[in-house]
């Protein structure tokens, strides 16, 4: 039995090695693009784009063979001159965007794009964005049904991965939103609401599955729970808390920059892991004194739930800033984001159902091994939480 802690430490070190080796992949850069479709006259569609400025500049410069755009925006940028850069290279930016974002009449021909006013440079959630409009001439007889296809910033360009294009529309009595990516690059404004919501549900599920920091927070939460009731209550508190801030952010009532939220999320991971290690230390000290391990007090349980609730509020802001939500009182988008949240919760509950029962069984049959493994894994989670906190607080690259 003395070898059980050693086995647990070895397993934890293997897990740490896997996390470190997967670091660059997990930390790949993603972006969110926005496109808002509204009617323009009786037949045309106006699309207002909001795209990340540096990414747009680099991608358009390469695709349209405009090295001056890359030099002006990336190599030798001048603060305050971004609007002029967008104006000077408007043709390249338009050509890049319209080659990858298409609007067509449902069952008919594609709409012909042309510029619709100058581009504007602005900051969106501490990130530089370029906002500009394109008018798509679609002809008559479309009855308000359009097919929208987005291939903005594809993985093949090597700039970013997993681009999400959030499309909102209000056209001829039809309104809604959709999330487009490489797996689901197009949608029809005539599709049922269930199909639109399914896309956001999958987007939410994918967001949690690809967010190693959120998964580690959940793992630390499960390991630190002694009973099924504990983990259910904790998960419920976490769900309620991050749903509150998620909705408040979606409504435009709360806004905290990612430079504050992201380090706080990393710190929450370390805090939950540290809480478990502290409790295990108290139990070990009691065993050394020949005393039974102290049962969790009501006060400690309430304090733990309060901590989880507080960090849930922070994570809710993290989910919101991941989509860079800045469209207050857009009820159509709000409902879609609620479904996005449901996708997150479905994955969260699935992880709990997969991890907690085997852990509970191990605690009953091999308590020493379970304790050692829990301490080792939690120590690794604590280490990663602290490393990510420092990296995010200092703005160092490579943190997920």
């Amino acid at each position: 039995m003395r070898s059980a802690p050693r086995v647990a430490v070895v397993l934890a070190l293997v897990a740490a090695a896997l996390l470190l080796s997967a670091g660059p992949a997990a930390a790949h850069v993603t972006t969110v693009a926005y496109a808002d479709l509204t009617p323009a006259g009786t037949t045309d569609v106006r699309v207002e784009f909001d795209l990340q400025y540096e990414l747009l500049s680099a991608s358009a410069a390469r695709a349209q063979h405009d090295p001056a755009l890359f030099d002006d925006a990336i190599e030798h940028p001048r603060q305050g001159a971004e609007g002029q850069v967008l104006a000077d290279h408007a043709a390249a930016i338009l050509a890049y965007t319209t080659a990858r974002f298409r609007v067509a009449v449902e069952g008919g021909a594609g709409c012909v794009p042309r510029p619709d006013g100058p581009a504007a440079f602005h900051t969106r959630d501490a990130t530089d964005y370029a906002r500009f409009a394109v008018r798509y001439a679609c002809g008559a007889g479309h009855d308000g049904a359009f097919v929208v296809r987005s291939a903005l910033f594809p993985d093949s360009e090597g700039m970013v991965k997993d681009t999400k294009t959030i499309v909102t529309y209000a056209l001829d009595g039809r309104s809604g939103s959709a999330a487009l990516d490489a797996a689901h690059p197009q949608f029809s404004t005539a599709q049922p609401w269930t199909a639109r919501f399914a896309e956001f549900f999958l987007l939410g599920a994918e967001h949690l599955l690809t967010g190693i920091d959120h998964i580690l927070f959940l793992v630390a939460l499960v390991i630190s729970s002694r009973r099924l009731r504990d983990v259910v209550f904790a998960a419920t508190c976490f769900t309620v808390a991050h749903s509150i801030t998620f909705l408040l952010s979606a409504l435009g009532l709360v806004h905290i920059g990612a430079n504050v939220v992201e380090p706080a999320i990393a710190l929450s991971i370390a805090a939950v892991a540290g809480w478990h290690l502290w409790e295990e230390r108290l139990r070990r000290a009691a065993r050394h004194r020949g005393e039974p391990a102290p049962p969790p007090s009501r006060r400690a349980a309430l304090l733990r739930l309060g901590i989880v609730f507080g960090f849930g509020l922070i994570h809710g802001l993290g989910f919101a800033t991941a989509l860079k939500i800045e469209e207050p009182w857009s009820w159509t988008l709000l409902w879609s984001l609620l479904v996005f949240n449901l996708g997150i919760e479905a994955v969260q509950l699935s992880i709990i159902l997969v991890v907690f029962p085997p852990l509970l069984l191990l605690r009953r049959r091999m308590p020493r091994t379970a304790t050692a493994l829990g301490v080792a894994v939690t120590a690794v989670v604590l280490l990663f939480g602290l490393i990510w906190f420092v990296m995010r607080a200092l703005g160092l690259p490579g943190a997920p």
Side-chain angles (χ1 to χ4, degrees):
M1 294 298 293
R2 293 176 61 88
S3 64
R6 297 179 183 177
V7 173
V9 171
V10 171
L11 290 175
L13 291 175
V14 171
L18 290 174
L19 285 171
L20 286 171
S21 65
H28 62 237
V29 179
T30 63
T31 188
V32 180
Y34 299 88
D36 184 30
L37 281 65
T38 54
T42 57
T43 62
D44 297 354
V45 174
R46 184 177 187 269
V47 181
E48 184 176 82
F49 292 98
D50 208 7
L51 309 178
Q52 192 173 334
Y53 172 74
E54 291 186 353
L55 176 60
L56 173 64
S57 300
S59 298
R62 175 188 291 179
Q64 302 303 316
H65 307 290
D66 186 355
L69 171 56
F70 187 87
D71 185 72
D72 293 343
I74 310 298
E75 288 289 338
H76 303 97
R78 290 182 296 115
Q79 188 173 5
E82 294 87 355
Q84 188 61 49
V85 171
L86 292 172
D88 291 343
H89 303 277
I93 291 172
L94 177 68
Y96 173 83
T97 304
T98 55
R100 289 157 180 78
F101 191 95
R102 301 178 185 275
V103 179
V105 175
E106 178 81 32
C111 305
V112 180
R114 68 176 187 272
D116 189 15
F121 174 85
H122 71 112
T123 301
R124 183 170 190 155
D125 191 33
T127 303
D128 295 338
Y129 268 75
R131 180 181 290 129
F132 58 96
V134 176
R135 183 164 179 157
Y136 287 79
C138 300
H142 54 69
D143 194 29
F146 299 92
V147 174
V148 178
R149 183 177 183 85
S150 177
L152 291 168
F153 314 120
D155 294 0
S156 58
E157 289 183 349
M159 299 287 185
V160 294
K161 294 189 179 226
D162 300 332
T163 298
K164 306 297 181 186
T165 302
I166 306 299
V167 180
T168 56
Y169 61 92
L171 297 166
D172 295 343
R174 292 184 174 94
S175 62
S177 56
L180 305 181
D181 56 18
H184 304 91
Q186 75 175 35
F187 79 102
S188 169
T189 59
Q191 71 181 16
W193 65 268
T194 51
R196 297 196 305 268
F197 283 1
E199 293 172 354
F200 273 89
F201 183 89
L202 293 175
L203 180 62
E206 180 184 350
H207 178 74
L208 187 61
L209 283 173
T210 57
I212 186 64
D213 51 351
H214 297 303
I215 291 178
L216 286 187
F217 178 86
L218 192 57
V219 168
L221 197 62
V222 171
I223 291 177
S224 63
S225 300
R226 308 298 298 179
R227 298 168 297 184
L228 180 60
R229 183 178 66 183
D230 295 337
V231 71
V232 170
F233 282 173
T236 301
C237 278
F238 182 77
T239 298
V240 172
H242 83 63
S243 296
I244 290 173
T245 46
F246 187 87
L247 293 177
L248 290 176
S249 181
L251 293 172
L253 301 178
V254 173
H255 176 73
I256 300 178
N259 58 329
V260 175
V261 172
E262 293 302 319
I265 289 176
L267 188 60
S268 73
I269 297 170
V272 172
W275 178 281
H276 176 67
L277 293 176
W278 175 254
E279 288 184 327
E280 287 296 337
R281 181 178 180 274
L282 294 179
R283 280 191 281 269
R284 183 178 180 183
R287 287 195 297 268
H288 278 305
R289 294 193 302 267
E291 301 173 358
S297 66
R298 181 178 178 83
R299 180 179 178 181
L302 291 176
L303 179 60
R304 178 174 180 269
L305 289 178
I307 292 174
V308 170
F309 186 86
F311 287 134
L313 295 175
I314 297 171
H315 280 245
L317 293 172
F319 292 142
T321 55
L323 290 180
K324 299 181 176 64
I325 301 167
E326 283 190 356
E327 300 187 32
W329 303 109
S330 176
W331 290 108
T332 300
L333 181 59
L334 177 58
W335 281 112
S336 298
L337 293 175
L338 283 172
V339 177
F340 173 89
N341 204 31
L342 289 176
I344 292 173
E345 300 317 320
V347 174
Q348 176 176 280
L349 291 175
S350 298
I351 293 175
I352 291 174
L353 292 175
V354 169
V355 174
F356 190 76
L359 178 62
L360 189 62
L361 182 62
L362 185 64
R363 284 173 177 167
R364 290 177 178 175
R365 296 191 174 182
M366 304 175 66
R368 288 173 59 88
T369 300
T371 298
L373 182 60
V375 168
V377 171
T378 309
V380 171
V381 173
L382 173 63
L383 176 63
F384 274 90
L386 292 176
I387 291 174
W388 290 339
F389 171 72
V390 173
M391 295 179 69
R392 291 177 178 183
L394 297 179
L396 301 177

